[in-house]
Amino acid sequence: MHLRRAILAVLAGVWAPVSSTWAHSPLEGGGQEQLAALLSALVMAGFWLLYLTGAWRVRPALWQSAAFHTTMILSFYAVLGPLDEWAETSTAWHMVQHMLFMVVIAPLFVLSRPLPQISAGGGRAGALVWEPMLRFTRHPMLTAYVHGMVIWFWHTPYFYVLALDNPWWHVIEHAFFLVTAGLFWWAVLKSASRNVHWALFALLFTLMHTGFLGAMLTFAQSSLYGADRPLEDQQLAGLIMWVLGAFPYLVASCWVGYRWYQQMQRRISPDG
């Protein structure tokens, strides 16, 4: 009895700060916002369960498993945590949410190498979904173009505000960012040897146009997303995309560039 009370006390102590942090989650809202949040939660939970089911059949390496679970925790936080509410009133927090999707969650998902587990969990149905996507990732520049169009599309004033005002469009926006960013990072981080130079060009192209978009937001003389959003907040959002958002692309470019350099060295080596 004493042991059970102690366990309950510990659980209550752990849950108290967690519940306080998540008090502003979209799940706590009502109407369409709550329905959209519930749908997002179900989709992510189903995807997580699919991985866990497959992991019983095909054991991942410990670091791969840790990377995948970190990806899912960050996804839940970005979509259902207080960050989502902060993003509704702050352009800077909205940019943090977008950058979390595109340069943290997406590459971490790719590095976790989850396809064997997801395929094992979903069977043939999972393969039918992944195979066309994998064929698409054979073309790094094409994934960069598609991902770039999605970034600029959702940062135009009309569609940016539309996603804020309508929870269903907000869900669609998140899905577009996650899927296209995932395909982009898969194409550049897992590029075949014959495509490694295209992977580097794709990274530099993305670094260039996202930096340009960030600079536009930074140096704009008026708020692009409504008078209720301060210009200083928009400028901070631009700096987040322009400066902080550039680091993952730069690191990946160095790694892919090194791969390309090694290939060229092997070609010119007398022993090659």
Side-chain angles (χ1 to χ4, degrees), residues 71-154:
T71 298
M72 296 308 302
I73 292 171
L74 289 174
S75 298
F76 270 90
Y77 179 78
V79 175
L80 302 173
L83 177 60
D84 193 70
E85 184 181 6
W86 301 339
E88 291 182 5
T89 56
S90 168
T91 308
W93 280 115
H94 204 167
M95 186 61 72
V96 170
Q97 187 183 45
H98 290 178
M99 291 293 99
L100 195 58
F101 288 143
M102 294 187 292
V103 300
V104 179
I105 291 173
L108 193 59
F109 171 82
V110 173
L111 292 174
S112 71
R113 301 178 181 177
L115 283 191
Q117 289 72 40
I118 295 173
S119 297
R124 182 58 186 166
L128 291 175
V129 174
W130 290 114
E131 287 174 0
M133 292 186 176
L134 290 178
R135 286 196 292 270
F136 182 65
T137 59
R138 296 172 187 170
H139 310 283
M141 285 303 299
L142 184 57
T143 63
Y145 292 146
V146 172
H147 184 46
M149 286 189 291
V150 166
I151 292 172
W152 282 82
F153 177 87
W154 287 109

Side-chain angles (χ1 to χ4, degrees), residues 133-149 180-207 209 249 255-256 259:
M133 292 186 176
L134 290 178
R135 286 196 292 270
F136 182 65
T137 59
R138 296 172 187 170
H139 310 283
M141 285 303 299
L142 184 57
T143 63
Y145 292 146
V146 172
H147 184 46
M149 286 189 291
T180 61
L183 293 174
F184 166 77
W185 284 104
W186 197 282
V188 299
L189 295 179
K190 293 184 171 293
S191 58
S193 298
R194 66 179 182 279
N195 284 334
V196 67
H197 60 293
W198 289 118
L200 178 60
F201 294 157
L203 282 163
L204 295 177
F205 168 75
T206 306
L207 173 65
H209 77 74
Y249 298 118
W255 180 75
V256 174
R259 281 189 62 200

Side-chain angles (χ1 to χ4, degrees), residues 21-272:
T21 301
W22 286 72
H24 300 288
S25 166
L27 290 171
E28 298 295 325
Q32 296 299 312
E33 181 182 10
Q34 188 178 48
L35 287 175
L38 284 172
L39 177 63
S40 300
L42 287 173
V43 170
M44 290 189 294
F47 190 70
W48 204 342
L49 181 61
L50 195 69
Y51 177 87
L52 290 172
T53 303
W56 282 104
R57 302 171 182 172
V58 180
R59 293 287 182 177
L62 181 60
W63 70 268
Q64 293 173 343
S65 179
F68 182 85
H69 294 313
T70 302
T71 298
M72 296 308 302
I73 292 171
L74 289 174
S75 298
F76 270 90
Y77 179 78
V79 175
L80 302 173
L83 177 60
D84 193 70
E85 184 181 6
W86 301 339
E88 291 182 5
T89 56
S90 168
T91 308
W93 280 115
H94 204 167
M95 186 61 72
V96 170
Q97 187 183 45
H98 290 178
M99 291 293 99
L100 195 58
F101 288 143
M102 294 187 292
V103 300
V104 179
I105 291 173
L108 193 59
F109 171 82
V110 173
L111 292 174
S112 71
R113 301 178 181 177
L115 283 191
Q117 289 72 40
I118 295 173
S119 297
R124 182 58 186 166
L128 291 175
V129 174
W130 290 114
E131 287 174 0
M133 292 186 176
L134 290 178
R135 286 196 292 270
F136 182 65
T137 59
R138 296 172 187 170
H139 310 283
M141 285 303 299
L142 184 57
T143 63
Y145 292 146
V146 172
H147 184 46
M149 286 189 291
V150 166
I151 292 172
W152 282 82
F153 177 87
W154 287 109
H155 283 91
T156 57
Y158 177 81
F159 291 103
Y160 185 98
V161 175
L162 177 65
L164 289 176
D165 293 341
N166 188 303
W168 295 108
W169 279 111
H170 206 185
V171 170
I172 293 172
E173 177 195 46
H174 291 166
F176 267 84
F177 279 138
L178 285 169
V179 172
T180 61
L183 293 174
F184 166 77
W185 284 104
W186 197 282
V188 299
L189 295 179
K190 293 184 171 293
S191 58
S193 298
R194 66 179 182 279
N195 284 334
V196 67
H197 60 293
W198 289 118
L200 178 60
F201 294 157
L203 282 163
L204 295 177
F205 168 75
T206 306
L207 173 65
M208 178 186 69
H209 77 74
T210 54
F212 182 67
L213 177 57
M216 285 179 58
L217 296 175
T218 302
F219 293 111
Q221 298 301 306
S222 61
S223 178
L224 301 177
Y225 303 122
D228 58 329
R229 290 186 170 241
L231 177 61
E232 294 79 6
D233 191 42
Q234 176 183 290
Q235 291 171 336
L236 177 58
L239 286 173
I240 290 170
M241 171 175 269
W242 187 11
V243 180
L244 295 181
F247 279 103
Y249 298 118
L250 287 171
V251 172
S253 297
C254 291
W255 180 75
V256 174
Y258 180 68
R259 281 189 62 200
W260 192 13
Y261 170 77
Q262 286 184 315
Q263 284 186 15
M264 290 189 292
Q265 286 291 100
R266 286 194 293 268
R267 289 174 184 171
I268 63 176
S269 173
D271 299 330

